[in-house]
Amino acid sequence: MEKVVIIGSGCAGWTAALYAARANLQPVVITGAQPGGLLTTTSVVENFPGFPEGVDGFDLMSRMQKQAERFGTRVKFGSIVEAVDFSKRPFAVTVDGERLEAATVIIATGAGHRHLGLESEAKLEMKGVTYCATCDGALPMFRNQPLVVVGGGDSACEEAMYLTRFGSVVHLVHRRDSLRASKIMAERALANPKIKPIWDSAVTEVLDVKQDKVTGVRLKNLKSGAESTLDCAGVFVAIGHVPNTQIFKGQINLDENGYVVPVSGAATNVPGVFVAGDCSDHVYRQAITAAGMGCAAAIEAERFLAAEG
Ligand code: NAP
């Protein structure tokens, strides 16, 4: 039986592994289909402490992995968890047809960005289409250029406000005529002279007349049906996140949006199952907060095992 099985290999997963390994728990990390998680899809990470020049997202995750492995973490690469059974102990985690038994499990499966679902959006990802202003907003390609943010929630407002530091103007495209964001965020965003709201509108296509680089968007007014185009160098999609928690449905407490609900600290409602990172955090969603939560989850798992003797 494994002492600790960690599901997920983003910042939360690798940090949990590092701490669990250093506590001599020989953790197993199941990486998921995208080893390293969402951060590997980002170009430069400039807000992770300790890297004053910034660090490539993929590089950062490789370093975390190496550090966790150095202390005895075992890794199941590219493996996807097919099912879990948290109804009795030891817990069961089925991965690639193999059944692992675990005394404790740390869930660190992260969240994915909700996508618009356009073909052109997928084609131009990392070529001007992005899902994280904090990660990519400062890139030279966006400096002093018109930018588009899609969405009407707190994330969209936050992204738009952040982007006003870099873009010449930030068009906030929302499908309704009022923002879903909290009052204070909405007021702040709409009071910013660099943010221009475009109401009742949907992005129907991301344009790349210069080929392989975003040059604009096609818009549709959802009330009048009128179509138009708008020049921009970047499209920041901020229409919410989808936590990667489908396999835990019915096994553990999830909120109405699918986020794992901790009962205290990193502990879930199932004693011995802990959670860390974006699959339970819809507020901060930063690499450094996920890493901190991974550390906390490993410490709690260690204490849980120690208390059992
Ligand atoms: P959200 O509140 O769910 O808002 C998503 C927005 O995207 C909504 O305006 C929604 O439109 C729009 N949308 C959804 N699907 C769409 C689609 N297919 N096409 C176009 N637009 C679409 O998500 P969020 O802004 O990421 O916030 C999630 C949670 O985190 C919230 O609880 C929020 O308060 C919190 N948060 C807090 C802060 C903060 O306080 N600093 C910052 C960020 C997030 P409709 O309005 O029409 O549904």
Side-chain angles (χ1 to χ4, degrees):
M1 181 178 62
E2 304 296 345
K3 291 183 185 124
V4 185
V5 167
I6 297 165
I7 308 175
S9 60
C11 286
W14 288 131
T15 309
L18 171 65
Y19 274 76
R22 284 174 58 82
N24 272 342
L25 298 174
Q26 299 97 30
V28 176
V29 170
I30 299 165
T31 64
Q34 188 179 36
L38 264 193
L39 217 63
T40 58
T41 64
T42 313
S43 29
V44 189
V45 182
E46 290 184 331
N47 54 8
F48 201 89
F51 297 91
E53 310 303 328
V55 57
D56 177 80
F58 188 85
D59 187 30
L60 178 62
M61 300 319 297
S62 304
R63 285 164 181 256
M64 285 194 190
Q65 179 193 326
K66 266 190 213 147
Q67 197 174 354
E69 285 180 316
R70 183 178 150 210
F71 296 100
T73 297
R74 290 159 299 146
V75 184
K76 284 189 166 293
F77 283 103
S79 304
I80 298 170
V81 172
E82 286 139 21
V84 294
D85 183 357
F86 296 158
S87 64
K88 55 185 181 304
R89 300 190 64 213
F91 304 123
V93 177
T94 309
V95 52
D96 295 341
E98 185 192 350
R99 184 185 148 96
L100 298 179
E101 292 199 331
T104 65
V105 171
I106 296 176
I107 298 173
T109 46
H113 299 289
R114 183 172 288 135
H115 291 199
L116 292 166
L118 304 170
E119 216 173 278
S120 52
E121 173 195 19
K123 187 181 107 183
L124 292 165
E125 189 171 342
M126 294 172 88
K127 293 169 184 163
V129 172
T130 149
Y131 300 87
C132 176
T134 340
C135 317
D136 299 329
L139 292 176
M141 68 194 286
F142 300 130
R143 299 236 172 193
N144 301 313
Q145 299 294 321
L147 304 172
V148 161
V149 171
V150 189
D154 281 331
S155 294
C157 289
E158 204 166 63
E159 302 262 292
M161 285 190 280
Y162 185 76
L163 289 170
T164 57
R165 303 175 195 189
F166 310 108
S168 55
V169 57
V170 179
H171 299 284
L172 183 59
V173 178
H174 183 35
R175 62 185 178 183
R176 293 186 296 116
D177 63 1
S178 65
L179 297 174
R180 169 181 299 279
S182 54
K183 203 163 183 281
I184 187 161
M185 294 280 275
E187 279 176 1
R188 228 183 270 160
L190 296 176
N192 191 314
K194 280 180 93 176
I195 297 177
K196 310 279 182 209
I198 300 180
W199 303 114
D200 300 312
S201 296
V203 170
T204 53
E205 189 183 354
V206 185
L207 305 170
D208 62 334
V209 288
K210 283 190 193 142
Q211 283 206 332
D212 268 4
K213 196 173 147 232
V214 169
T215 54
V217 288
R218 191 180 308 284
L219 297 172
K220 182 173 183 180
N221 184 298
L222 298 170
K223 281 193 174 152
S224 68
E227 293 207 22
S228 59
T229 58
L230 180 68
D231 289 344
C232 67
V235 178
F236 291 76
V237 181
I239 60 171
H241 288 78
V242 186
N244 301 320
T245 55
Q246 294 80 350
I247 51 161
F248 306 116
K249 240 181 208 167
Q251 297 281 338
I252 202 156
N253 281 353
L254 305 176
D255 71 12
E256 69 278 11
N257 296 315
Y259 289 92
V260 179
V261 184
V263 289
S264 84
T268 69
N269 64 306
V270 179
V273 177
F274 302 90
V275 67
D278 288 10
C279 62
S280 71
D281 167 29
H282 54 78
V283 179
Y284 303 110
R285 294 188 296 227
Q286 299 297 306
I288 188 66
T289 48
M293 292 166 86
C295 160
I299 290 174
E300 290 196 30
E302 181 193 354
R303 289 181 183 162
F304 177 87
L305 291 169
E308 283 195 323

